[in-house]
Amino acid sequence: MKIKTSIAMMAVMLSACLMGCEKKELITETPPDIGKTEVIDAQKANVESVGAAGIAGVNWADGRDNFVDGWVIPSGLTAGDNYTTVSAKANAILTGFQNNMPGVNTVRLPINPPSVAEAWWGAYTGAIDRALSKNMKVILACWESASSHNGTIDDTTQFWAMWQTVVNKYGSNANVYFEPMNEPYGYTLAQLTTIYAEWLSRYPNVSKGRILLGGTGYSENVTAVGADSRFSSCLLSLHNYAFWATRTQSAWEADWRSRFGSYASRTVVTEYGAAMTTGKNYTGSVGSDNEIAYIVGSTNVFRNDKVASVYWPGLRDNDSYSIQNRGGSGTNITLTTTNQSGLTRIRYGWGL
């Protein structure tokens, strides 16, 4: 999710934007573009150099944003779809990711209590199951509702019931990862780690290596959670966006490293992104463009520090950040890449 409403965050962003920064850096390395005639087998692509759990992924998000009241429904799906229809649509979308983004092996999907407790779960699992059948990893992350959006769990009883249902179904599947809460900015560190400790105690049979604990704030810094010995085997979920600040390429690289500290090997950047439908060239000169400096600096860090990354979003209807655009109708869904240079940088961050 790239829209933040926190007053404090807006103040930080305003302050950062008022700081004059000279941006004349060039890309450290220029990765090769994917030629139109280049044929790459996505299942055999070399992603060994990426970070935690070998994750190289994209978010598949609800066109309304994942903060919704009621069911969260990723773009292309509809509330009236049954399991078979969801599975067929998911197959088309996931195949589109794999064909257009060689090396992608992970999809991050949103859940919330209504989506799991109510009838939609029976259909929605078709998307999860289809991804697993295509040998993809699936990250299931919990979002708050739109009306209660304050960085805390909406209803703890419903929250734990949701996770119990999810863990009962997918806890033993080695390709399913669990992110207890997306952007838990309403909690202090002590409060947040108490919740994380309870999650681990409730579901002790889930491998800690498949649990992603969001950093403090908007999942914006993982060093404090990473330092907690109770979570030493867990992965860490990190977010950072270009609109949060204006920086040079080298400053973006330093900023990322300050956010994960000595925990690069455990960090999964589950959200980062910038405008992909505006025609920007992410493989040319950085110049004075903050988004280009951010994308180049980000993917340099991911590759050089071996930090796993999941782009926001792979697909979200009507989002200028989306690296794929949806076409077709019904179950005959097609995807097209919105920015080839952006895709090149995303894959470069995956180690490709």
Side-chain angles (χ1 to χ4, degrees):
M1 187 288 292
K2 72 177 193 302
I3 300 175
K4 316 297 181 187
T5 57
S6 167
I7 294 176
M9 179 60 71
M10 291 174 64
V12 172
M13 290 160 53
L14 178 60
S15 174
C17 289
L18 293 174
M19 296 172 61
C21 294
E22 181 181 6
K23 308 176 201 64
K24 297 181 180 178
E25 298 154 295
L26 297 180
I27 297 174
T28 303
E29 281 186 70
T30 302
D33 282 314
I34 306 171
K36 291 183 179 179
T37 60
E38 181 181 3
V39 179
I40 301 176
D41 185 339
Q43 296 303 316
K44 296 180 181 178
N46 175 21
V47 292
E48 292 179 358
S49 60
V50 296
I55 287 172
V58 292
N59 283 270
W60 179 12
D62 192 311
R64 302 166 296 173
D65 203 345
N66 291 340
F67 293 102
V68 294
D69 295 330
W71 303 348
V72 62
I73 305 173
S75 296
L77 307 182
T78 67
D81 292 341
N82 60 22
Y83 179 95
T84 300
T85 302
V86 168
S87 179
K89 288 181 173 181
N91 183 62
I93 289 170
L94 297 168
T95 297
F97 287 149
Q98 291 178 323
N99 288 344
N100 297 349
M101 308 181 71
V104 68
N105 63 18
T106 301
V107 61
R108 183 173 180 249
L109 291 170
I111 59 172
N112 62 17
S115 298
V116 175
E118 299 173 15
W120 178 235
W121 182 240
Y124 192 26
T125 53
I128 302 169
D129 295 345
R130 177 58 66 179
L132 295 172
S133 76
K134 297 173 77 65
N135 200 32
M136 296 185 77
K137 304 175 194 296
V138 178
I139 299 172
L140 299 176
C142 177
W143 261 258
E144 304 173 68
S145 64
S147 59
S148 301
H149 189 188
N150 61 0
T152 64
I153 297 168
D154 295 342
D155 181 299
T156 54
T157 299
Q158 293 177 2
F159 175 83
W160 294 120
M162 173 197 70
W163 277 119
Q164 187 65 63
T165 297
V166 174
V167 170
N168 284 349
K169 185 167 183 63
Y170 294 109
S172 61
N173 192 305
N175 281 331
V176 178
Y177 293 72
F178 307 92
E179 190 174 346
M181 187 175 181
N182 176 72
E183 298 183 344
Y185 64 88
Y187 294 114
T188 65
L189 174 63
Q191 291 170 330
L192 182 60
T193 53
T194 296
I195 292 169
Y196 288 162
E198 182 172 356
W199 203 102
L200 266 62
S201 69
R202 282 176 177 263
Y203 315 115
N205 293 327
V206 176
S207 167
K208 289 184 178 180
R210 292 191 290 119
I211 300 169
L212 290 94
L213 303 179
T216 52
Y218 289 92
S219 297
E220 66 202 68
N221 191 300
V222 301
T223 57
V225 176
D228 193 316
S229 60
R230 292 174 294 178
F231 316 125
S232 60
S233 299
C234 296
L235 302 180
L236 306 167
S237 176
L238 178 63
H239 295 180
N240 194 8
Y241 281 103
F243 72 89
W244 289 1
T246 299
R247 297 187 173 96
T248 63
Q249 176 191 318
S250 61
W252 277 114
E253 292 175 6
D255 179 68
W256 275 109
R257 292 182 171 113
S258 73
R259 293 174 185 272
F260 60 72
S262 61
Y263 304 103
S265 65
R266 294 168 54 198
T267 297
V268 180
V269 175
T270 51
E271 288 188 27
Y272 82 102
M276 292 294 169
T277 62
T278 55
K280 292 188 178 184
N281 181 5
Y282 290 103
T283 55
S285 170
V286 171
S288 61
D289 190 293
N290 184 54
E291 287 191 311
I292 295 176
Y294 161 85
I295 288 292
V296 172
S298 299
T299 52
N300 280 348
V301 169
F302 302 160
R303 185 183 185 94
N304 294 332
D305 293 37
K306 294 182 172 55
V307 174
S309 59
V310 182
Y311 182 80
W312 177 278
L315 177 65
R316 180 189 172 209
D317 291 345
N318 303 312
D319 187 337
S320 65
Y321 283 33
S322 188
I323 193 63
Q324 296 295 310
N325 183 63
R326 181 171 64 91
S329 61
T331 59
N332 297 314
I333 297 172
T334 59
L335 298 186
T336 54
T337 299
T338 58
N339 188 309
Q340 194 65 47
S341 67
L343 173 57
T344 297
R345 290 306 309 187
I346 292 168
R347 295 182 70 246
Y348 183 78
W350 292 340
L352 298 171

